Amino acid sequence: MKMEKIDVNSKINQSTELCKGDVQGARAFHHTIIKGSKLTFLGNAGFYHILITIEGESMFSTDGKEYCFDSRTSFVPGPDKDVTVTAVTDLQLLEIQWDTAPGDDEDLRQYKTVFPVVVPYIESIQYTDPNKSEKSISRMMIPHEIIPRFTMGSVESYGYDLVRPHAHPMLDQFFFSFPENDMEVIIDGEKYNMKGNIMLHIPLGSDHGVEVTGDRHMHYMWIDFMPDKEAGLKRLNFSHRPTGKVRDFENEDKTR
């Protein structure tokens, strides 16, 4: 099991590709952008730029507009638009490149997607999942009918908690652990400790789950790609059901 640790202590601008070649049609990069520096992502490249600010303050400029963020936010510019990211403070940025495909334009019209897609983390739709406990907080950072064949979200909890091992051969998947994360990933019955700032490819079709014990903090992103769109959407529509509520562990007893 290969876990790719990210260097978040770099004092220079740095871009690192993660899990290279693990998911067909997808590429993952971690960018460190030092205060005052800029990084431009070019449109018309044949893929979507899905950008997630992990830590730091930033300004995004695209299509003649500017967007300022001081906390975790997901941002997807139009696939034909350039976007420039300016680091207001030192910035840790995760980028997912996801290839476009025939039929995407029709899907985008059906989904009524408006670019840029901007989802502040604290405004993510919360959902329930039969593999997760009632204690955990699950969030849709990019719901599954926004970007064709793609979705991503997060799971947060404290010990003790368990995401029951399960498999989904219709969804290929990365895990990314937020800096505060400390948990065990369970792959085909084997446990692996996963701390913060790590990217992991979950082998397609494997049984996988997560466990957190003691007073440790589980907080990770799942990033899903759908090689079979119809099967993927069917699975997600069944398993990810919005709660209509907003929970936050800052206001809850973490031990329950």
Side-chain angles (χ1 to χ4, degrees):
M1 181 57 55
K2 184 179 181 182
M3 295 192 183
E4 298 199 19
K5 177 70 175 176
I6 296 166
D7 177 13
V8 296
N9 297 312
S10 174
K11 299 303 179 183
I12 60 172
N13 292 316
Q14 182 172 289
S15 298
T16 304
E17 185 169 3
L18 305 166
C19 298
K20 188 174 181 177
D22 283 350
V23 175
Q24 185 175 359
R27 293 156 300 281
F29 296 86
H30 175 267
H31 306 282
T32 296
I33 311 174
I34 299 303
K35 178 181 178 179
S37 299
K38 300 176 185 287
L39 182 61
T40 296
F41 303 88
L42 299 178
N44 292 313
F47 51 81
Y48 304 96
H49 290 286
I50 299 142
L51 306 172
I52 308 100
T53 60
I54 303 300
E55 289 189 307
E57 300 176 25
S58 58
M59 181 177 71
F60 285 56
S61 303
T62 187
D63 199 21
K65 297 181 181 179
E66 294 182 344
Y67 305 81
C68 295
F69 307 121
D70 60 5
S71 59
R72 289 175 184 162
T73 301
S74 303
F75 189 97
V76 188
D80 60 335
K81 304 295 183 184
D82 299 349
V83 58
T84 297
V85 180
T86 302
V88 178
T89 65
D90 290 354
L91 180 66
Q92 305 296 327
L93 180 72
L94 187 66
E95 175 197 7
I96 306 297
Q97 297 178 357
W98 178 228
D99 289 351
T100 58
D104 279 8
D105 288 344
E106 178 57 34
D107 284 345
L108 291 169
R109 283 192 291 270
Q110 180 180 336
Y111 300 159
K112 299 181 180 179
T113 301
V114 177
F115 291 108
V117 176
V118 182
V119 185
Y121 187 69
I122 60 173
E123 297 178 14
S124 299
I125 296 169
Q126 297 187 12
Y127 69 93
T128 61
D129 184 319
N131 295 309
K132 301 178 179 71
S133 75
E134 293 184 1
K135 177 180 179 178
S136 64
I137 300 176
S138 299
R139 298 174 172 92
M140 300 181 191
M141 298 168 64
I142 300 286
H144 49 270
E145 292 186 315
I146 300 291
I147 305 301
R149 303 163 288 106
F150 176 87
T151 184
M152 71 181 187
S154 69
V155 182
E156 182 179 17
S157 194
Y158 287 81
Y160 178 79
D161 208 349
L162 176 71
V163 177
R164 289 185 292 274
H166 58 284
H168 40 60
M170 73 295 293
L171 300 170
D172 214 347
Q173 189 171 69
F174 290 139
F175 276 8
F176 173 81
S177 56
F178 287 121
E180 61 272 20
N181 180 74
D182 185 5
M183 66 187 188
E184 269 65 55
V185 179
I186 307 167
I187 305 291
D188 293 328
E190 296 291 329
K191 293 184 180 181
Y192 306 86
N193 181 245
M194 187 177 188
K195 297 192 184 297
N197 298 306
I198 286 173
M199 181 73 91
L200 169 68
H201 176 232
I202 302 297
L204 187 62
S206 66
D207 279 325
H208 61 283
V210 174
E211 184 179 45
V212 62
T213 59
D215 60 357
R216 293 184 300 157
H217 194 174
M218 170 206 297
H219 204 186
Y220 69 95
M221 288 173 54
W222 50 262
I223 305 167
D224 283 4
F225 309 90
M226 304 179 207
D228 183 333
K229 181 181 71 173
E230 298 307 322
L233 290 175
K234 182 178 180 180
R235 167 63 183 257
L236 291 164
N237 282 325
F238 169 77
S239 62
H240 291 188
R241 300 186 180 183
T243 64
K245 301 177 181 179
V246 177
R247 295 175 51 211
D248 185 337
F249 277 116
E250 292 298 318
N251 301 308
E252 294 186 16
D253 182 349
K254 300 179 180 65
T255 63
R256 291 189 177 183

